[in-house]
Amino acid sequence: SLRLGIVFGPKPSLRSCGPAPAPHPRFAMSRRVVRQSKFRHVFGQAMKADQCYEDIRVSKVTWDSSFCAVNPKFVAIIVESGGGGAFLVLQVAKTGRVDKNHPLVCGHTAPVLDIDWCPHNDNVIASGSEDCTVMVWQIPDHLTLRSITDPIVVLEGHSKRVGIISWHPTARNVLLSAGSDNVIIIWNVGTGDPLITLDELHSDLIYNVCWNHNGSLICTTSKDKRVRIIDPREQCIVIEKEKAHEGARPMRAIFLADGKVFTTGFSKMSERQLALWDPKHFDEPMALQEMDTSNGVLLPFYDADSSIVYLCGKGDSSIRYFEITPECPYVHYISTFSSKEPQRGMGFMTRRGLDVSRCEIARFFKLHERKCEPITMTVPRKSDLFQDDLYPDTPGPEAALDAEEWMGGKNANAVLVSLRGGYIPPKNRELKSAKRNLLDNKPPLGPRRSYSTCESNFSRVSLEELLDEVKSLKVIVQSQERRISELENKLSKFTNGTA
C-alpha cells in the first residue's frame, strides 16, 4: 500500500541530499577534547622515608603561614620551643632523623610566625614573631653545634605581632614586614633603617602581601575582603577590589608574571574559590572556579617559568595545580597530587635548587606533625638532554638594584641565570651597598656567639671523643679540688699549732 511504501521505501542516496551542512562552531570546538600543553602530564611523587627529615616538632601556632622556607642550601622550619620562638635550619642534602638536641635559631621571646630566605644571599633569613620584632640572621654554611641566639639585625617598628615577611625580588637588602597593627614597613636591612611605613592604607587585619615581578607594586588582602594593589614608594593605592571573595575566611592574592592577580578565598556558602583578575578591569574576574567546602586556607605557590600555580590547603592532604594561559578559560586544571597525611605547612623550592637532569619543575617540602617530606613535580621526558623548553633562564642570586636606587624610583627586572648543567653559584660573592651594610660584617668571636669554625668533616665520632675527654677532665679537676682542700686543712692546723 501507499502507507507501507512510505514507511519502508528505499532511503534517498547521499547525492540526492546535496552537500552535508557544516557543523555548528560550538560542536566543532568540542571535538578538540585534549588541550595541547607540555605540562599536561606533570606528576607528583613523594620522596622515600630515608630522604625525609624525621623527628621535627612543627609549630602548632594558629597562624596561616607556610611555616617553612627553602632555598638551594637550607630548609628552615618553624618549630615548637619553650620560653620563646625558634626555627630549625637543616642542610637540604642532610636528610634522615634530626637529633632532639639539634641547635635552633632562637632569639625571639615569643613564637615565630613567618620566615623567608633572602633571594640574593642563601645564608640570610628573616623572621617575624609575636614579640613585634623582625630579626635577620646569618646562617653559616657548616651548621653550628650550638643554637644561634644573636641576630645580625633587629628591626623594631611594629606595635603588634609580625606575621608576614617578604624580601624584595630584585633590590638588595629591601625587606617588607606586615603586622597585626595593620601597618606595612619596608626596611633597608643593610643599615637597619625603615624606608617606608604604610600605616593608613589598611583598616583591618592584613592576610598576605606579595611583590610583583620587579618589585614596583605590592598586592595585599585583608579582613575587610578587599584586594589592594599598592605603589609603596608613592604610598598610595593604585586600585582595589571590594569583596573579591565574599566569604569571611582569609583570602590570598599573588601577582603573576604578566601583572595579573591570582586570588584564593571563600564564597558565601564557605566553598573554596580561585579567581584570576586583570587589574586594568577589576570589576569582574577573568576566571572564577569553585573547588570544595573544606575549611583550610588555600596557599598559592606560583612558578613564573612554567606559569603553573600550585594550591596547598592547610589541613589538606593534596596539592592541586593549574596552568595559567593567555587564552580563555585562562586557568586550566592539570592534576592533583594526593597523600594520606594532612599538611601542617609547605615549603617551595626556588628553580635554582631543582634537579634539571630529572626534568623536575617544582619541589615542595610538606610539613607533617613530626616530619618534613619532600615532594617532587616532574615532567616525563624520555631524552636525557637538557630540556630548554622546561628551563628558561631564571632569576639568580644577583640583585639588580641597591636599596637606594629602588627608593630613588628605579625599577629593574631580575638578573637571570641559566640552569643548563645545573645551577652553579658564583664563588666569593659579597653583598654590596652604598652605605654601611650590616650583613657584610662577620660575626664577632665571643662566648655567646653560636657560630662555629669547625670543618665539614667534623664527624659525630670526633664529637663523642671530645665529650669523653671533657668528662675525664672534670673528674681530674674534682680530685685536685679535694686534694687542695685537704692540704689547706693541714696547713691551717699547722699554723694554729694543733698539728
Side-chain angles (χ1 to χ4, degrees):
S1 65
L2 179 63
R3 184 175 179 183
L4 292 175
I6 293 173
V7 176
F8 300 106
K11 294 182 180 179
S13 65
L14 294 176
R15 180 175 296 178
S16 65
C17 294
H24 191 277
R26 179 180 176 186
F27 298 104
M29 291 295 293
S30 66
R31 291 179 180 177
R32 186 179 174 182
V33 178
V34 179
R35 184 180 63 91
Q36 297 298 318
S37 172
K38 57 191 172 186
F39 301 112
R40 191 160 53 90
H41 299 293
V42 171
F43 67 95
Q45 186 175 12
M47 292 288 192
K48 296 181 180 179
D50 60 343
Q51 295 176 302
C52 297
Y53 309 86
E54 302 279 352
D55 278 356
I56 299 173
R57 297 180 301 161
V58 179
S59 175
K60 297 180 181 178
V61 175
T62 55
W63 184 255
D64 290 323
S65 71
S66 60
F67 288 171
C68 182
V70 192
N71 69 18
K73 287 185 179 181
F74 302 108
V75 181
I77 303 169
I78 302 176
V79 295
E80 288 288 304
S81 176
F87 58 93
L88 177 72
V89 177
L90 303 170
Q91 290 181 340
V92 170
K94 292 191 175 181
T95 57
R97 191 174 300 277
V98 178
D99 192 284
K100 64 179 180 180
N101 296 320
H102 192 283
L104 303 175
V105 182
C106 50
H108 288 285
T109 59
V112 177
L113 300 179
D114 196 19
I115 51 179
D116 193 24
W117 288 104
C118 177
H120 309 124
N121 189 329
D122 288 340
N123 294 78
V124 173
I125 186 171
S127 60
S129 168
E130 285 190 1
D131 63 8
C132 309
T133 66
V134 177
M135 294 185 180
V136 181
W137 310 83
Q138 192 161 4
I139 309 298
D141 285 333
H142 306 300
L143 294 178
T144 63
L145 300 177
R146 293 178 293 169
S147 293
I148 299 175
T149 57
D150 296 329
I152 301 300
V153 186
V154 179
L155 307 174
E156 298 179 333
H158 290 279
S159 59
K160 293 185 179 180
R161 63 181 181 177
V162 181
I164 300 170
I165 297 292
S166 181
W167 291 90
H168 193 284
T170 62
R172 190 188 316 277
N173 297 340
V174 177
L175 176 67
L176 179 149
S177 64
S180 297
D181 51 4
N182 308 333
V183 176
I184 295 175
I185 302 178
I186 299 176
W187 309 85
N188 182 350
V189 176
T191 60
D193 301 323
L195 298 175
I196 299 168
T197 301
L198 306 176
D199 54 359
E200 297 181 353
L201 301 183
H202 296 85
S203 59
D204 215 331
L205 179 66
I206 301 171
Y207 284 145
N208 90 299
V209 182
C210 178
W211 296 93
N212 67 345
H213 71 285
N214 65 359
S216 60
L217 300 172
I218 59 175
C219 178
T220 69
T221 60
S222 61
K223 197 174 181 179
D224 58 9
K225 303 180 184 179
R226 297 188 180 190
V227 177
R228 296 174 174 87
I229 296 178
I230 299 171
D231 187 333
R233 288 171 293 191
E234 296 294 332
Q235 303 188 27
C236 66
I237 298 175
V238 177
I239 190 171
E240 67 178 0
K241 171 63 179 177
E242 296 183 6
K243 294 185 178 179
H245 297 277
E246 297 186 347
R249 299 279 296 158
M251 292 190 300
R252 289 290 186 275
I254 57 173
F255 269 115
L256 303 185
D258 58 0
K260 294 183 176 62
V261 176
F262 184 92
T263 63
T264 63
F266 293 79
S267 67
K268 282 185 178 180
M269 305 302 293
S270 296
E271 294 176 317
R272 294 197 293 192
Q273 297 177 324
L274 62 86
L276 182 66
W277 307 82
D278 186 351
K280 298 177 183 178
H281 309 283
F282 232 177
D283 295 333
E284 294 293 331
M286 298 173 60
L288 177 65
Q289 295 184 20
E290 294 184 349
M291 300 177 63
D292 51 34
T293 55
S294 177
N295 291 326
V297 177
L298 286 172
L299 304 179
F301 296 92
Y302 175 59
D303 178 20
D305 292 342
S306 61
S307 295
I308 294 179
V309 175
Y310 302 87
L311 299 183
C312 309
K314 297 202 74 171
D316 289 3
S317 56
S318 62
I319 301 174
R320 297 179 178 91
Y321 37 107
F322 302 79
E323 185 177 0
I324 311 297
T325 63
E327 301 84 19
C328 186
Y330 308 110
V331 181
H332 304 271
Y333 170 75
I334 299 177
S335 185
T336 299
F337 169 80
S338 298
S339 57
K340 295 180 180 179
E341 298 293 329
Q343 53 222 18
R344 300 280 297 275
M346 192 71 72
F348 187 58
M349 175 67 80
T350 63
R351 277 256 168 166
R352 292 185 292 117
L354 301 180
D355 186 353
V356 298
S357 63
R358 297 175 52 203
C359 295
E360 182 185 27
I361 63 167
R363 188 187 308 166
F364 290 90
F365 289 74
K366 175 181 175 180
L367 299 185
H368 298 249
E369 186 175 357
R370 296 285 298 184
K371 75 173 182 178
C372 175
E373 177 186 38
I375 298 171
T376 63
M377 297 290 176
T378 307
V379 177
R381 293 282 173 94
K382 293 182 179 179
S383 174
D384 293 332
L385 300 177
F386 179 75
Q387 306 295 314
D388 297 87
D389 60 329
L390 297 183
Y391 300 103
D393 290 351
T394 194
E398 190 66 34
L401 299 170
D402 288 327
E404 294 78 12
E405 293 177 317
W406 181 75
M407 276 301 296
K410 189 175 180 181
N411 295 321
N413 293 327
V415 179
L416 304 181
V417 296
S418 175
L419 296 180
R420 181 178 292 272
Y423 174 70
I424 302 174
K427 295 181 179 180
N428 299 325
R429 184 177 58 85
E430 297 180 355
L431 292 174
K432 298 177 182 179
S433 179
K435 295 183 179 180
R436 178 178 61 92
N437 189 349
L438 297 176
L439 300 185
D440 282 334
N441 299 333
K442 293 184 178 180
L445 298 177
R448 296 184 66 247
R449 180 63 62 184
S450 57
Y451 297 93
S452 173
T453 57
C454 62
E455 298 295 331
S456 59
N457 59 357
F458 191 81
S459 64
R460 181 171 295 277
V461 176
S462 58
L463 176 60
E464 292 176 352
E465 291 175 355
L466 283 176
L467 293 175
D468 291 338
E469 186 176 354
V470 169
K471 289 180 181 179
S472 62
L473 288 175
K474 285 183 178 180
V475 173
I476 295 173
V477 170
Q478 290 175 354
S479 64
Q480 293 296 333
E481 286 179 348
R482 288 195 297 268
R483 186 168 180 272
I484 291 172
S485 178
E486 292 174 358
L487 290 174
E488 285 178 346
N489 291 334
K490 290 182 179 179
L491 179 61
S492 62
K493 289 180 181 179
F494 180 80
T495 55
N496 294 335
T498 58

